[in-house]
Amino acid sequence: CSAIDACKTSNGGCSAKAECRRTTPGYRVCACNAGYTGDGIVCIEINPCLENNGGCNRNAECTQTGPNQAVCNCLKGYSGDGKRCTYISLCSQNNGGCSEFATCNDTELTERTCTCKHNYIGDGFKCRGNIFQELLRDSNTSRFYFHLEALSIRDIAGPGPFTLFVPRTDVLNSDPRVKDWLAKGVMAQVLRYHMVGCASLLYNDLTRITNITSLHGDPIHISYSQNSLVLNNKAEIILSDAVGTNGVIHVINQILVP
Protein backbone atom coordinates (compact mmCIF):
# COMPACT_ATOMS: atom_id res chain seq x y z
CA CYS A 1 0.00 0.00 0.00
CA SER A 2 1.15 3.51 -0.70
CA ALA A 3 0.15 6.70 1.07
CA ILE A 4 -2.41 8.87 -0.69
CA ASP A 5 -1.09 12.36 -1.57
CA ALA A 6 -4.07 14.62 -0.89
CA CYS A 7 -2.34 17.52 -2.67
CA LYS A 8 -1.64 15.69 -5.90
CA THR A 9 -4.86 16.55 -7.70
CA SER A 10 -6.28 20.06 -8.14
CA ASN A 11 -3.95 21.47 -5.48
CA GLY A 12 -5.79 19.32 -2.96
CA GLY A 13 -8.93 21.46 -3.34
CA CYS A 14 -7.04 24.45 -1.97
CA SER A 15 -7.30 27.88 -3.54
CA ALA A 16 -5.06 28.62 -6.48
CA LYS A 17 -3.63 31.35 -4.22
CA ALA A 18 -2.81 28.81 -1.48
CA GLU A 19 -0.21 26.16 -0.76
CA CYS A 20 -1.39 22.58 -0.18
CA ARG A 21 0.61 20.86 2.54
CA ARG A 22 0.43 17.09 3.19
CA THR A 23 -0.08 16.09 6.78
CA THR A 24 -0.93 12.42 7.24
CA PRO A 25 -1.75 10.02 4.43
CA GLY A 26 -4.89 11.23 2.69
CA TYR A 27 -4.97 14.52 4.56
CA ARG A 28 -3.67 18.01 3.92
CA VAL A 29 -3.95 21.62 5.08
CA CYS A 30 -4.34 24.67 2.89
CA ALA A 31 -2.39 27.85 3.70
CA CYS A 32 -2.95 31.07 1.77
CA ASN A 33 0.11 32.47 0.05
CA ALA A 34 1.83 35.61 1.30
CA GLY A 35 -0.28 38.66 0.54
CA TYR A 36 -3.54 36.72 0.82
CA THR A 37 -5.86 35.91 3.68
CA GLY A 38 -8.49 33.20 4.18
CA ASP A 39 -8.95 29.60 5.17
CA GLY A 40 -6.86 28.25 2.31
CA ILE A 41 -9.89 27.07 0.41
CA VAL A 42 -10.82 30.67 -0.28
CA CYS A 43 -7.97 33.18 -0.33
CA ILE A 44 -8.58 36.91 -0.76
CA GLU A 45 -5.95 39.43 -1.71
CA ILE A 46 -4.97 41.58 1.25
CA ASN A 47 -5.47 45.33 0.67
CA PRO A 48 -3.14 47.05 3.15
CA CYS A 49 -4.85 50.41 2.52
CA LEU A 50 -7.94 49.22 4.40
CA GLU A 51 -6.14 49.31 7.74
CA ASN A 52 -4.45 52.42 9.15
CA ASN A 53 -4.28 53.92 5.64
CA GLY A 54 -1.66 51.34 4.74
CA GLY A 55 0.88 53.02 7.00
CA CYS A 56 0.71 56.16 4.89
CA ASN A 57 0.57 59.62 6.38
CA ARG A 58 -2.94 60.92 7.11
CA ASN A 59 -2.32 63.56 4.43
CA ALA A 60 -1.42 60.93 1.85
CA GLU A 61 -3.35 58.61 -0.44
CA CYS A 62 -2.75 54.87 -0.15
CA THR A 63 -2.93 52.98 -3.46
CA GLN A 64 -2.85 49.17 -3.60
CA THR A 65 -0.35 47.88 -6.15
CA GLY A 66 -0.52 44.11 -5.46
CA PRO A 67 -1.25 41.52 -2.75
CA ASN A 68 -0.51 43.29 0.56
CA GLN A 69 1.48 45.92 -1.37
CA ALA A 70 0.78 49.63 -1.66
CA VAL A 71 2.34 52.99 -2.38
CA CYS A 72 1.78 56.24 -0.52
CA ASN A 73 1.47 59.58 -2.31
CA CYS A 74 1.08 62.90 -0.53
CA LEU A 75 -2.15 64.73 -1.27
CA LYS A 76 -2.24 67.93 -3.29
CA GLY A 77 -0.90 70.75 -1.16
CA TYR A 78 1.60 68.50 0.62
CA SER A 79 5.09 67.26 -0.17
CA GLY A 80 7.02 64.23 1.05
CA ASP A 81 7.48 60.51 0.51
CA GLY A 82 3.93 59.58 1.49
CA LYS A 83 4.98 58.29 4.89
CA ARG A 84 5.71 61.86 5.92
CA CYS A 85 3.83 64.72 4.25
CA THR A 86 4.47 68.37 4.92
CA TYR A 87 2.02 71.14 4.12
CA ILE A 88 3.16 73.35 1.24
CA SER A 89 2.51 77.02 1.92
CA LEU A 90 1.47 78.66 -1.36
CA CYS A 91 2.70 81.94 0.05
CA SER A 92 6.21 80.59 0.62
CA GLN A 93 7.08 80.69 -3.08
CA ASN A 94 7.00 83.89 -5.12
CA ASN A 95 4.64 85.45 -2.56
CA GLY A 96 1.96 83.03 -3.76
CA GLY A 97 1.67 84.84 -7.09
CA CYS A 98 0.49 87.99 -5.31
CA SER A 99 1.83 91.43 -6.11
CA GLU A 100 5.10 92.40 -4.47
CA PHE A 101 3.03 95.11 -2.77
CA ALA A 102 0.49 92.63 -1.38
CA THR A 103 0.27 90.31 1.61
CA CYS A 104 -0.29 86.62 0.87
CA ASN A 105 -2.30 84.59 3.39
CA ASP A 106 -2.80 80.82 3.25
CA THR A 107 -6.47 80.09 3.86
CA GLU A 108 -6.91 76.34 3.20
CA LEU A 109 -5.43 73.60 1.08
CA THR A 110 -4.40 74.93 -2.34
CA GLU A 111 -6.02 78.28 -1.53
CA ARG A 112 -4.67 81.70 -0.53
CA THR A 113 -5.71 85.31 -0.54
CA CYS A 114 -3.80 88.34 -1.80
CA THR A 115 -4.43 91.71 -0.16
CA CYS A 116 -2.76 94.94 -1.20
CA LYS A 117 -0.66 96.51 1.56
CA HIS A 118 -1.45 99.82 3.24
CA ASN A 119 -1.23 102.77 0.82
CA TYR A 120 -1.77 100.48 -2.19
CA ILE A 121 -4.94 99.61 -4.07
CA GLY A 122 -5.83 96.73 -6.39
CA ASP A 123 -6.99 93.14 -6.39
CA GLY A 124 -3.92 91.78 -4.63
CA PHE A 125 -2.40 90.45 -7.84
CA LYS A 126 -1.84 93.96 -9.12
CA CYS A 127 -1.38 96.67 -6.52
CA ARG A 128 -0.79 100.34 -7.27
CA GLY A 129 0.64 103.06 -5.08
CA ASN A 130 0.20 106.77 -5.61
CA ILE A 131 0.49 108.03 -9.18
CA PHE A 132 3.92 109.53 -8.51
CA GLN A 133 5.21 106.02 -7.68
CA GLU A 134 3.36 104.47 -10.60
CA LEU A 135 5.05 106.78 -13.13
CA LEU A 136 8.39 105.13 -12.42
CA ARG A 137 7.04 101.58 -12.70
CA ASP A 138 5.86 102.00 -16.31
CA SER A 139 8.35 102.54 -19.14
CA ASN A 140 5.75 104.62 -20.96
CA THR A 141 5.71 107.18 -18.15
CA SER A 142 9.11 106.86 -16.46
CA ARG A 143 10.70 109.75 -18.40
CA PHE A 144 8.00 112.10 -17.12
CA TYR A 145 8.86 110.93 -13.58
CA PHE A 146 12.56 111.70 -14.05
CA HIS A 147 11.74 115.22 -15.23
CA LEU A 148 9.59 115.74 -12.13
CA GLU A 149 12.37 114.49 -9.89
CA ALA A 150 15.03 116.62 -11.58
CA LEU A 151 12.91 119.74 -11.04
CA SER A 152 11.80 118.69 -7.52
CA ILE A 153 8.12 118.79 -8.50
CA ARG A 154 6.25 116.80 -5.87
CA ASP A 155 2.69 118.11 -6.34
CA ILE A 156 1.23 114.71 -7.27
CA ALA A 157 2.83 112.93 -4.31
CA GLY A 158 0.16 114.53 -2.10
CA PRO A 159 -3.24 113.05 -1.18
CA GLY A 160 -4.92 114.34 -4.34
CA PRO A 161 -6.99 113.39 -6.15
CA PHE A 162 -5.18 114.18 -9.42
CA THR A 163 -5.57 113.46 -13.10
CA LEU A 164 -2.34 113.19 -15.05
CA PHE A 165 -1.82 113.38 -18.82
CA VAL A 166 1.65 111.96 -19.47
CA PRO A 167 3.45 112.26 -22.81
CA ARG A 168 4.87 108.84 -23.64
CA THR A 169 8.59 108.39 -22.87
CA ASP A 170 9.69 108.27 -26.51
CA VAL A 171 7.83 111.54 -27.18
CA LEU A 172 9.64 113.32 -24.35
CA ASN A 173 12.95 111.88 -25.49
CA SER A 174 12.57 112.90 -29.13
CA ASP A 175 10.91 116.33 -28.94
CA PRO A 176 13.68 118.97 -29.48
CA ARG A 177 11.69 121.59 -27.57
CA VAL A 178 12.34 119.82 -24.26
CA LYS A 179 16.02 120.89 -24.20
CA ASP A 180 15.01 124.44 -24.99
CA TRP A 181 12.40 124.51 -22.20
CA LEU A 182 14.94 123.14 -19.74
CA ALA A 183 17.50 125.77 -20.78
CA LYS A 184 14.96 128.58 -20.41
CA GLY A 185 13.73 127.28 -17.03
CA VAL A 186 10.13 126.80 -18.15
CA MET A 187 10.01 122.98 -18.11
CA ALA A 188 8.29 122.97 -14.70
CA GLN A 189 5.43 125.03 -16.14
CA VAL A 190 5.09 122.64 -19.08
CA LEU A 191 4.97 119.62 -16.75
CA ARG A 192 2.37 121.18 -14.46
CA TYR A 193 0.22 121.87 -17.49
CA HIS A 194 -0.19 118.07 -17.72
CA MET A 195 -1.61 117.84 -14.18
CA VAL A 196 -5.17 118.43 -12.99
CA GLY A 197 -5.94 118.77 -9.29
CA CYS A 198 -9.00 117.99 -7.14
CA ALA A 199 -10.33 115.31 -9.51
CA SER A 200 -9.58 111.73 -10.53
CA LEU A 201 -11.07 111.67 -14.01
CA LEU A 202 -11.37 108.32 -15.76
CA TYR A 203 -11.62 108.02 -19.54
CA ASN A 204 -15.43 107.89 -19.43
CA ASP A 205 -15.52 111.01 -17.25
CA LEU A 206 -13.41 112.89 -19.78
CA THR A 207 -15.83 112.10 -22.61
CA ARG A 208 -18.47 114.19 -20.84
CA ILE A 209 -16.49 117.40 -20.29
CA THR A 210 -14.91 119.92 -22.64
CA ASN A 211 -12.50 121.90 -20.46
CA ILE A 212 -10.46 121.33 -17.32
CA THR A 213 -7.96 123.56 -15.55
CA SER A 214 -4.40 122.36 -15.07
CA LEU A 215 -2.18 122.94 -12.03
CA HIS A 216 -0.32 125.44 -14.22
CA GLY A 217 -3.53 127.45 -14.31
CA ASP A 218 -4.30 127.27 -18.02
CA PRO A 219 -7.27 125.27 -19.34
CA ILE A 220 -7.02 122.04 -21.32
CA HIS A 221 -9.60 121.59 -24.05
CA ILE A 222 -11.06 118.08 -24.47
CA SER A 223 -12.81 116.79 -27.56
CA TYR A 224 -14.22 113.34 -28.24
CA SER A 225 -14.72 112.03 -31.76
CA GLN A 226 -14.34 108.75 -33.64
CA ASN A 227 -13.89 106.88 -30.36
CA SER A 228 -10.84 108.96 -29.43
CA LEU A 229 -10.20 111.59 -26.77
CA VAL A 230 -8.05 114.48 -27.95
CA LEU A 231 -6.55 117.25 -25.82
CA ASN A 232 -6.12 120.72 -27.30
CA ASN A 233 -7.05 119.28 -30.71
CA LYS A 234 -3.71 117.48 -31.07
CA ALA A 235 -2.70 115.10 -28.25
CA GLU A 236 -4.59 111.81 -28.26
CA ILE A 237 -5.04 109.64 -25.18
CA ILE A 238 -3.50 106.28 -26.17
CA LEU A 239 -3.47 104.50 -22.78
CA SER A 240 -5.92 105.29 -20.03
CA ASP A 241 -7.18 104.66 -16.52
CA ALA A 242 -4.00 103.64 -14.68
CA VAL A 243 -5.55 104.21 -11.27
CA GLY A 244 -3.40 104.92 -8.20
CA THR A 245 -4.27 105.69 -4.60
CA ASN A 246 -4.38 109.43 -5.24
CA GLY A 247 -5.47 109.72 -8.85
CA VAL A 248 -5.33 108.39 -12.38
CA ILE A 249 -2.79 108.44 -15.22
CA HIS A 250 -3.54 108.75 -18.94
CA VAL A 251 -0.78 108.43 -21.54
CA ILE A 252 -0.83 110.82 -24.51
CA ASN A 253 1.09 110.86 -27.78
CA GLN A 254 2.15 114.52 -27.78
CA ILE A 255 3.33 117.17 -25.33
CA LEU A 256 0.77 119.73 -24.20
CA VAL A 257 2.03 123.32 -24.38
CA PRO A 258 0.41 126.03 -22.24
Side-chain angles (χ1 to χ4, degrees):
C1 296
S2 59
I4 296 172
D5 183 354
C7 294
K8 186 174 183 180
T9 304
S10 300
N11 198 32
C14 301
S15 166
K17 304 297 183 181
E19 177 186 4
C20 182
R21 298 172 184 168
R22 293 171 59 191
T23 52
T24 57
Y27 293 91
R28 53 91 179 101
V29 293
C30 300
C32 292
N33 295 335
Y36 293 84
T37 184
D39 61 4
I41 305 298
V42 176
C43 294
I44 301 172
E45 190 173 282
I46 297 172
N47 182 353
C49 297
L50 298 178
E51 185 175 347
N52 195 31
N53 200 31
C56 302
N57 185 273
R58 64 188 182 93
N59 294 309
E61 180 182 26
C62 179
T63 305
Q64 184 183 6
T65 56
N68 205 26
Q69 295 178 320
V71 293
C72 304
N73 293 295
C74 293
L75 299 173
K76 187 177 181 180
Y78 293 86
S79 66
D81 61 4
K83 299 291 186 181
R84 295 187 62 183
C85 297
T86 306
Y87 173 65
I88 301 171
S89 167
L90 292 178
C91 295
S92 66
Q93 299 178 350
N94 195 33
N95 200 31
C98 304
S99 165
E100 61 180 309
F101 304 111
T103 301
C104 180
N105 289 302
D106 289 293
T107 54
E108 56 185 83
L109 293 182
T110 71
E111 297 292 337
R112 53 90 179 88
T113 60
C114 302
T115 307
C116 292
K117 295 178 180 177
H118 182 62
N119 290 330
Y120 287 88
I121 59 172
D123 61 5
F125 298 98
K126 286 187 178 181
C127 298
R128 296 181 182 274
N130 66 48
I131 55 177
F132 189 68
Q133 296 169 312
E134 292 305 310
L135 288 173
L136 183 59
R137 294 174 61 190
D138 188 337
S139 62
N140 285 309
T141 58
S142 58
R143 189 62 184 167
F144 193 87
Y145 171 89
F146 291 129
H147 280 299
L148 295 178
E149 278 284 85
L151 295 169
S152 299
I153 299 173
R154 306 284 296 184
D155 306 57
I156 58 172
F162 301 100
T163 300
L164 206 56
F165 302 105
V166 181
R168 201 172 54 201
T169 290
D170 62 326
V171 173
L172 284 171
N173 286 338
S174 61
D175 194 317
R177 296 175 297 174
V178 172
K179 286 185 179 180
D180 188 45
W181 291 330
L182 287 168
K184 291 180 178 178
V186 298
M187 189 63 183
Q189 299 174 43
V190 174
L191 295 175
R192 283 195 173 95
Y193 186 51
H194 294 77
M195 306 174 189
V196 176
C198 302
S200 181
L201 299 169
L202 297 175
Y203 191 91
N204 282 340
D205 300 323
L206 295 171
T207 63
R208 295 189 288 269
I209 56 180
T210 55
N211 287 284
I212 47 177
T213 303
S214 70
L215 290 186
H216 173 263
D218 286 353
I220 300 171
H221 176 69
I222 303 172
S223 56
Y224 181 71
S225 64
Q226 297 180 340
N227 296 321
S228 294
L229 271 174
V230 179
L231 309 180
N232 292 348
N233 297 317
K234 59 184 300 184
E236 182 182 347
I237 294 179
I238 53 177
L239 296 170
S240 63
D241 294 353
V243 178
T245 56
N246 65 339
V248 60
I249 299 170
H250 305 287
V251 179
I252 55 179
N253 62 358
Q254 291 193 47
I255 300 173
L256 300 176
V257 182

